[in-house]
Amino acid sequence: MEEKKSNQQMLAAEEEAFSSAARIKYYDIVIDKGRGAIITDVEGHDYIDLLASASSTNTGHAHPKVVKAIADQAARLIQYTPAYFANSQAARLAPRLAALAPISGPVEVAWGNSGSDANDAIIKFARAATGRQYIVSFTGAYHGSTYGSMTISSVTLNMSRKMGPLLPGVVKVPFPSPWDKLAGESDDQFVDRMYKAFLQPFETYLPAEEVAAIVIEPIQGDGGIIKVPQAYMERIYAFAKQNGILFAIDEVNQGMGRTGKWWSIQHFPGIEPDLMSVGKSLASGMPLSAVVGRKGIMEALGPAANVYTTAGNPVTAAAANATLDVIEEEHLVERSAKLGQKAKDFFDQEQAKYDFVGDARLYGLNGGISIVDPATGKGDVEATTKLMYRIFELGAIIISLRGNILRFQPPLVITEEQLDKAFAIIDQAFAELAAGKLSLPSNAEELGWE
Ligand SMILES: Cc1ncc(COP(=O)(O)O)c(C=O)c1O
């Protein structure tokens, strides 16, 4: 029998052969198993998972229905490339996903292996359907790690540093983040100013008639769980419609029930995308993504323009069919909304209690909690690191965004008891920070996004 190794031993062995580009460091654990909202490391420590594998396991870890679907399908057929022949699972999934899309009229899908390639596909289909080259995206966005998707992202310098030239024809405009609001500025004035900044490229060097698509996360995920103001969304949407620009949304992080609705765009009455990307929780974390769009757009490219050998693989498609069943049968979208309200109430109470809780933005079981220096109101990275590390020590996994935002995204199946336990842990860590009892871990410099 193989000797049991500790977290540290396994990490040391891995480090020898593992690129530093492939992990954002947080805690020195090696995850061994998971069930529902609990994950267990190789030493047998349990943690309440408040990250849901970066929102890719909305149905929880090892959901029995998803496990069975994967096992049954693996025993029948693991792979036959959908690039050449259909398989029964993906053939069933395509119309299901098309029907779920928040797009009226005929809708088609094309499979990918990751959220990143689904966003590349948005660029490809949008350019093909419009015959235009430019793509407009937003600061603070995370769309993925392939050349196309990283070009339209802008969340950390490490995603473009040393790798240029990036994809040509991409223009970034400022995302309307609440912390960019000026002192004394009203919501309307803020939207006016941000919309002016959005228009600036179009008025100076970017001909609107050469823009294929605007790509946006309706609720920015890695940017800090920030919802676009409705009035701003309506303006850029109207601008897109007036100028024949496709309106494309990224639902990779915020889709699949995460926000208390199937899709985050459903928080914006009157806005309907032309194209969207889906991934992560689509197949409960198995590698399956999709670009979903209006039929006319999805027919703008011919065979081989968007095929991958394993995209729409039978096992991942079986996992996705089971995932949709679970979300429907267990009412996980409604559950996210209901428990999200409970979480909102909890974090609002914490905000009233602790002056370093700057803002708690929750949309379903999905939150960004800004930790600030009470004296200046500015983000406090050190305090955030102390907090997340203490929360980890107390038995829950939470990470940060932008250095000073706690990312709260548990699996949607988390029980109320587990949620209450997580709240007790978070409250304890907050109380200890307020009492000056927390210190930084020795490797604090290495942790989190740069
Ligand atoms: C909004 C969004 N889009 C795209 C991606 C990229 O997905 P993947 O890592 O599966 O390529 C992510 C991943 O975090 C994301 O949050």
Side-chain angles (χ1 to χ4, degrees), residues 92-169:
R92 191 174 145 235
L93 182 63
R96 281 185 90 181
L97 186 58
L100 272 173
I103 302 174
S104 51
V107 168
E108 290 186 354
V109 311
W111 305 124
N113 297 297
S114 68
S116 303
D117 67 41
N119 285 321
D120 278 24
I122 282 182
I123 299 172
K124 294 197 274 184
F125 283 103
R127 283 180 167 173
T130 58
R132 302 171 174 194
Q133 64 157 315
Y134 288 108
I135 304 291
V136 172
S137 66
F138 289 81
T139 56
Y142 186 84
H143 294 297
S145 209
T146 51
Y147 262 102
S149 61
M150 77 186 195
T151 305
I152 60 171
S153 301
S154 75
V155 71
T156 161
L157 284 173
N158 269 357
M159 282 179 62
S160 50
R161 182 177 270 146
K162 305 183 203 170
M163 294 181 286
L166 303 186
L167 192 71

Side-chain angles (χ1 to χ4, degrees), residues 376-387:
T376 63
K378 295 236 177 323
D380 190 339
V381 174
E382 222 179 86
T384 311
T385 305
K386 287 177 183 170
L387 282 173

Side-chain angles (χ1 to χ4, degrees), residues 5-208:
K5 294 214 168 78
S6 68
N7 286 313
Q8 289 299 347
Q9 283 169 324
M10 293 195 107
L11 286 169
E14 185 195 51
E15 200 175 355
E16 296 275 301
F18 192 64
S19 164
S20 58
R23 181 169 302 141
I24 306 152
K25 270 201 180 170
Y26 280 97
Y27 314 113
D28 287 346
I29 52 171
V30 178
I31 295 166
D32 186 41
K33 57 185 181 182
R35 189 82 182 181
I38 302 295
I39 53 173
T40 308
D41 70 16
V42 287
E43 295 174 11
H45 304 120
D46 285 341
Y47 304 89
I48 303 172
D49 184 7
L50 301 180
L51 179 60
S53 179
S55 195
S56 69
T57 55
N58 287 1
T59 57
H61 299 287
H63 191 291
K65 281 213 160 158
V66 178
V67 171
K68 183 169 184 323
I70 291 170
D72 288 353
Q73 182 56 45
R76 293 178 74 85
L77 178 71
I78 291 178
Q79 159 71 345
Y80 204 96
T81 180
Y84 289 114
F85 301 109
N87 65 71
S88 53
Q89 291 289 352
R92 191 174 145 235
L93 182 63
R96 281 185 90 181
L97 186 58
L100 272 173
I103 302 174
S104 51
V107 168
E108 290 186 354
V109 311
W111 305 124
N113 297 297
S114 68
S116 303
D117 67 41
N119 285 321
D120 278 24
I122 282 182
I123 299 172
K124 294 197 274 184
F125 283 103
R127 283 180 167 173
T130 58
R132 302 171 174 194
Q133 64 157 315
Y134 288 108
I135 304 291
V136 172
S137 66
F138 289 81
T139 56
Y142 186 84
H143 294 297
S145 209
T146 51
Y147 262 102
S149 61
M150 77 186 195
T151 305
I152 60 171
S153 301
S154 75
V155 71
T156 161
L157 284 173
N158 269 357
M159 282 179 62
S160 50
R161 182 177 270 146
K162 305 183 203 170
M163 294 181 286
L166 303 186
L167 192 71
V170 171
V171 172
K172 306 260 172 64
V173 291
F175 187 85
S177 302
W179 40 83
D180 291 332
K181 215 165 153 186
L182 303 174
E185 197 173 39
S186 71
D187 290 348
D188 287 349
Q189 286 166 335
F190 176 58
V191 166
D192 278 350
R193 188 166 57 79
M194 296 310 290
Y195 184 58
K196 236 177 165 172
F198 167 85
L199 286 180
Q200 201 183 32
F202 293 98
E203 290 165 350
T204 48
Y205 64 92
L206 181 63

Side-chain angles (χ1 to χ4, degrees), residues 114-116 119 142-144 217 222 250 252-253 280:
S114 68
S116 303
N119 285 321
Y142 186 84
H143 294 297
E217 292 168 80
D222 288 345
D250 181 338
V252 172
N253 185 319
K280 288 192 188 266

Side-chain angles (χ1 to χ4, degrees), residues 410-434:
L412 307 182
V413 296
I414 191 168
T415 66
E416 293 210 39
E417 201 187 341
Q418 289 163 340
L419 202 53
D420 288 337
K421 200 166 160 203
F423 293 157
I425 288 175
I426 292 169
D427 183 59
Q428 181 180 337
F430 282 6
E432 288 176 5
L433 181 75

